[in-house]
Amino acid sequence: MNPAAAANQKEEFKLKDTKPQLGERWPHGGMRGGGGWISSERATSTYDLVEQMFYLYVRVVKAKDLPTNPVTGNIDPYVEVKLGNYKGKTQHFEKKTNPEWQQVFAFSKEKIQSSILEVFVRDKEMVGRDDFIGRVIFDMNEIPTRVPPDSPLAPQWYRLEDLRGHRKVKGEVMLAVWMGTQADEAFPEAWHTDAASVQGEGVFNIRSKVYVSPKLWYLRVNVIEAQDLEPHDRSQLPQAFVKAQVGNQILKTKLCPQKTTNPMWNEDLLFVAAEPFEEKLYLTVENKVTPAKDEVMGRIILPLHIFERRLDHRSVHSKWFNLEKFGFGALEGDKRHELKFSSRINLRVCLEGAYHVMDESTMYISDQRPTARELWKNPIGILEVGILSAQGLQPMKTKEGRGTTDAYCVAKYGQKWVRTRTIIESFNPKWNEQYTWEVYDPCTVITLGVFDNCHLGGSEKPASGSGGKNDSRIGKVRIRLSTLETDKIYTNSYPLLVLQKSGLKKMGELQLAVRFTCLSLGHMIYLYWHPLLPKMHYLHPFTVNQLDNLRYQAMNIVAVRLGRAEPPLRKEVMEYMLDADSHMWSMRRSKANFFRIVSLFSGVIAMSKWLGEVRHWKNPVTTILVHVLFFILICYPELILPTIFLYMFLIGIWNYRLRPRHPPHMDTKLSWAEVVHPDELDEEFDTFPTSKDQDVVRMRYDRLRSVAGRIQTVIGDIATQGERFLALLSWRDPRATSLFVLFCLIAAVALYVTPFKIMALVAGLFWLRHPRFRSKLPSVPSNFFRRLPSRADSML
């Protein structure tokens, strides 16, 4: 590739500014209601972050007194709404003269090529042409315009006319016809001319939808002990363990070290459960007869709603539960005789409400609230996102011999997922849909993804390299809220980048309008001094393996629940949005993390080079000034720390003019995706376990990838900490840098007026303080540091 082409490609991968026409044509000019809370309708219906799109809405409510067919004596009515070349039909009812449809049709004003709107009522015929019953005609110039928050237009009864319009016929139809925008309440459920070619079940898969993730709980099962166990062979003492199952999650305790009928374990088993609690807790006590054989000695089935919900770290009382003998039934003898004496098990079970159940990586966390609503704080801001359009999308499948794309966009923040409507057969779809979220913590990330809808029916065939009937990935965008200035509208075009087996590919651009509104600046600054996660994560932390397993189970539960909606949010979409495969080994990611660390030490290397130049008198004036500063600090050591903090304060002020002006985006150079070797790509897209034939190679190769994946994570964490340190003065997070710069100024003054010996004494005594005076929660500086942004947000 020549240098000019390489430069053009790098420009394609960068963020671009756009200047869409936002808010000018909307009523109220983009003004928002006072108070800041989303309880008012005004805050959610301004739609000032998207371009205005007009639609002709036709609401077909019902009909009455329709004439029957003189031959059959029945009628199977349906309504056909016709505007120019576009026709929309309701479902038909069999043998019904007073049908109710309650269906809305939306015709894009840009595609209107007729001056009249025709509404036909027809009789469905099994053979031949459907019979005409009557019609209603509307003049486009006479149709009223409705603008939210005005009340919806009331439907009216209209008498049906014949084809010539000369006389009225028997029957009436109730309609409401108005001109509105995409802010109308009828918009999400309406039939659209954008998808006029979609028929059957595919109609349900094109609609926009707002989803709410199910409420997730951690279920802690503390298996303490069991008594009076009876193995099948009573001549030998059992070596028992407990197996617990909730849904698809199965966990086992360790084997009791001694063979006894009264074993003790005192072991915690952790599960993820979702409201409403459809699954139950299945517990079986089993005996390890041989290494290859286990026998069940007793079981118990417990519904989850009977367990206590714990909101803090207080202990929960344990309970004894009687075990049923496994296989007990009619063939086991007299039931009353069997229940006189029973084995039992001691359990301490609770639903943890003080933890945040994580279904996403903490690097890109979008919600940190605990499960129990009683522990939630008030929101500190409002996030508004206008999903405008996409440009230059690539063909994702073939239909009738030509490439096409049916694109929709998904956004995830907190417990709320949104999905735009699908725009059919367009490489430049325009959605112009706006969504709002409450923000409880600024150090969170919103994720947006663009996908190709492969569930519209018909003869679509995926393009080469796509995943069959799964919705294909087009690209993803992540935006960290703390990098946004408050009350500023960011209008940018984000490149949609996907790494494929053939290399890095730009799939198009996504145009967004984003605004972060602060409700309480004091509350926001207050959060910077507190832990990111609820305090129970620090008082009683989980192990790394437990967190990984629990996150995997939480993702599966959310995917199953949202997959039941209409249209469903499919599993492949959720896995891509939640970075389900981020832990897999990749040579490219490892190299990228390594060079992130190398770039962090570039400042230290530059400083050492500068000191070497000073030492060798490359610049005599600079060397003399360093000597003067050195003698001053030797004579007045109390000036050392004030000088350092004052210097950092000046650097922070100087860097203000160099602060980033755009939200972060996917950085291909940082991700090491532009120059990745084909063999490394083949390894990255290889299956796990590998598809190699040799058994020994497979075993060694998978072991290497597993170990290297952990090393990769550690290297990434080290790079993240270093980048957070650099973010103190880089204005990547304007509020955090402002707080740190102010702290540096105060520290410089305080350290100047306070003798150095006193500061050293106080610091030493504080560091050596008794453990009784220490808190298990992280310190204020640690909390502030963990909230600083890193370049992990920009990693592919």
Side-chain angles (χ1 to χ4, degrees), residues 126-191:
M126 298 300 295
V127 180
R129 179 181 295 181
D130 296 341
D131 289 340
F132 169 83
I133 297 175
R135 70 171 180 175
V136 180
I137 299 177
F138 295 90
D139 187 348
M140 293 294 295
N141 298 321
E142 302 296 329
I143 293 176
T145 299
R146 183 238 167 178
V147 179
D150 295 345
S151 298
L153 202 66
Q156 301 179 24
W157 286 105
Y158 293 91
R159 288 287 303 274
L160 298 178
E161 301 175 350
D162 60 11
L163 281 175
R164 296 182 180 180
H166 291 165
R167 62 184 179 86
K168 304 292 184 182
V169 298
K170 184 181 178 183
E172 295 180 71
V173 61
M174 180 178 279
L175 304 170
V177 182
W178 72 97
M179 189 69 70
T181 64
Q182 74 268 38
D184 201 290
E185 293 87 349
F187 182 76
E189 299 298 326
W191 175 94

Side-chain angles (χ1 to χ4, degrees), residues 82 140 183 201 210 231 412 438 512 554 605 670 698 713 742 763:
K82 181 181 179 184
M140 293 294 295
E201 293 297 324
V210 176
K412 196 266 183 188
E438 289 181 332
L512 301 174
I605 296 172
L670 175 69
R698 179 181 293 114
T713 302
L742 182 61

Side-chain angles (χ1 to χ4, degrees), residues 638-707:
E638 64 273 11
L639 293 179
I640 295 176
L641 289 178
T643 302
I644 293 175
F645 279 100
L646 184 60
Y647 182 62
M648 294 174 70
F649 168 75
L650 294 175
I651 291 178
I653 295 298
W654 179 261
N655 285 346
Y656 178 74
R657 62 187 182 88
L658 304 175
R659 69 190 185 280
R661 307 286 180 172
H662 303 298
H665 65 288
M666 300 301 179
D667 193 330
T668 57
K669 185 176 181 182
L670 175 69
S671 305
W672 214 250
E674 296 179 352
V675 292
V676 62
H677 193 275
D679 183 62
E680 295 173 1
L681 274 177
D682 181 64
E683 182 183 29
E684 182 171 345
F685 285 96
D686 191 10
T687 57
F688 189 85
T690 180
S691 56
K692 306 298 180 183
D693 295 332
Q694 297 83 357
D695 293 338
V696 176
V697 174
R698 179 181 293 114
M699 183 270 295
R700 294 178 179 177
Y701 186 48
D702 291 343
R703 182 176 60 187
L704 174 63
R705 296 174 73 187
S706 177
V707 174

Side-chain angles (χ1 to χ4, degrees), residues 430-673:
K430 290 186 177 182
W431 294 289
N432 282 305
E433 297 181 26
Q434 182 172 337
Y435 298 96
T436 307
W437 288 267
E438 289 181 332
V439 178
Y440 292 84
D441 195 300
C443 302
T444 45
V445 176
I446 180 173
T447 304
L448 301 100
V450 182
F451 301 88
D452 175 52
N453 198 330
C454 296
H455 294 83
L456 302 180
S459 59
E460 295 93 343
K461 293 184 179 180
S464 58
S466 62
K469 252 307 189 183
N470 291 339
D471 287 354
S472 305
R473 307 171 177 180
I474 297 180
K476 182 167 54 179
V477 174
R478 285 190 291 257
I479 302 175
R480 183 172 290 270
L481 269 58
S482 62
T483 62
L484 305 176
E485 297 181 16
T486 56
D487 294 306
K488 177 182 177 181
I489 298 179
Y490 291 85
T491 55
N492 300 105
S493 181
Y494 293 81
L496 297 173
L497 306 175
V498 172
L499 198 63
Q500 300 176 342
K501 289 184 178 181
S502 57
L504 181 66
K505 187 175 182 180
K506 180 179 177 180
M507 308 297 291
E509 296 181 358
L510 177 64
Q511 294 184 358
L512 301 174
V514 182
R515 176 172 56 209
F516 176 38
T517 305
C518 177
L519 299 179
S520 173
L521 182 61
H523 190 186
M524 187 186 300
I525 294 175
Y526 169 81
L527 286 175
Y528 274 92
W529 312 110
H530 285 74
L532 181 65
L533 296 172
K535 63 181 181 180
M536 279 295 289
H537 285 269
Y538 307 98
L539 298 177
H540 297 282
F542 299 130
T543 65
V544 175
N545 287 335
Q546 281 178 328
L547 279 177
D548 288 343
N549 292 332
L550 291 172
R551 181 193 170 202
Y552 176 76
Q553 298 299 340
M555 283 194 298
N556 283 340
I557 291 175
V558 174
V560 170
R561 291 290 179 92
L562 298 190
R564 300 176 185 171
E566 189 181 273
L569 200 60
R570 303 185 183 278
K571 186 175 181 180
E572 65 268 18
V573 173
M574 299 193 58
E575 289 179 347
Y576 185 54
M577 297 287 289
L578 297 176
D579 290 291
D581 57 352
S582 61
H583 63 286
M584 297 297 292
W585 159 256
S586 163
M587 180 67 77
R588 175 189 60 83
R589 286 199 198 102
S590 298
K591 288 168 63 177
N593 288 331
F594 173 76
F595 285 105
R596 286 169 64 194
I597 294 178
V598 170
S599 65
L600 294 177
F601 291 103
S602 61
V604 178
I605 296 172
M607 178 62 72
S608 64
K609 289 182 178 179
W610 181 79
L611 291 176
E613 292 177 356
V614 169
R615 181 185 176 192
H616 291 91
W617 292 77
K618 289 290 184 67
N619 190 336
V621 177
T622 303
T623 305
I624 292 172
L625 291 176
V626 170
H627 275 81
V628 172
L629 178 62
F630 176 73
F631 283 119
I632 292 175
L633 296 180
I634 288 295
C635 296
Y636 303 98
E638 64 273 11
L639 293 179
I640 295 176
L641 289 178
T643 302
I644 293 175
F645 279 100
L646 184 60
Y647 182 62
M648 294 174 70
F649 168 75
L650 294 175
I651 291 178
I653 295 298
W654 179 261
N655 285 346
Y656 178 74
R657 62 187 182 88
L658 304 175
R659 69 190 185 280
R661 307 286 180 172
H662 303 298
H665 65 288
M666 300 301 179
D667 193 330
T668 57
K669 185 176 181 182
L670 175 69
S671 305
W672 214 250

Side-chain angles (χ1 to χ4, degrees), residues 12 387-397 403-409 420-431 449-453 472-477 493-498 505-511:
E12 284 292 307
I387 303 174
L388 304 180
S389 62
Q391 299 291 329
L393 298 184
Q394 301 296 314
M396 301 300 295
K397 57 178 177 281
T404 184
T405 298
D406 305 322
Y408 66 93
C409 182
T420 67
R421 68 192 189 283
T422 301
I423 306 298
I424 305 298
E425 299 181 8
S426 174
F427 299 134
N428 301 295
K430 290 186 177 182
W431 294 289
V450 182
F451 301 88
D452 175 52
N453 198 330
S472 305
R473 307 171 177 180
I474 297 180
K476 182 167 54 179
V477 174
S493 181
Y494 293 81
L496 297 173
L497 306 175
V498 172
K505 187 175 182 180
K506 180 179 177 180
M507 308 297 291
E509 296 181 358
L510 177 64
Q511 294 184 358

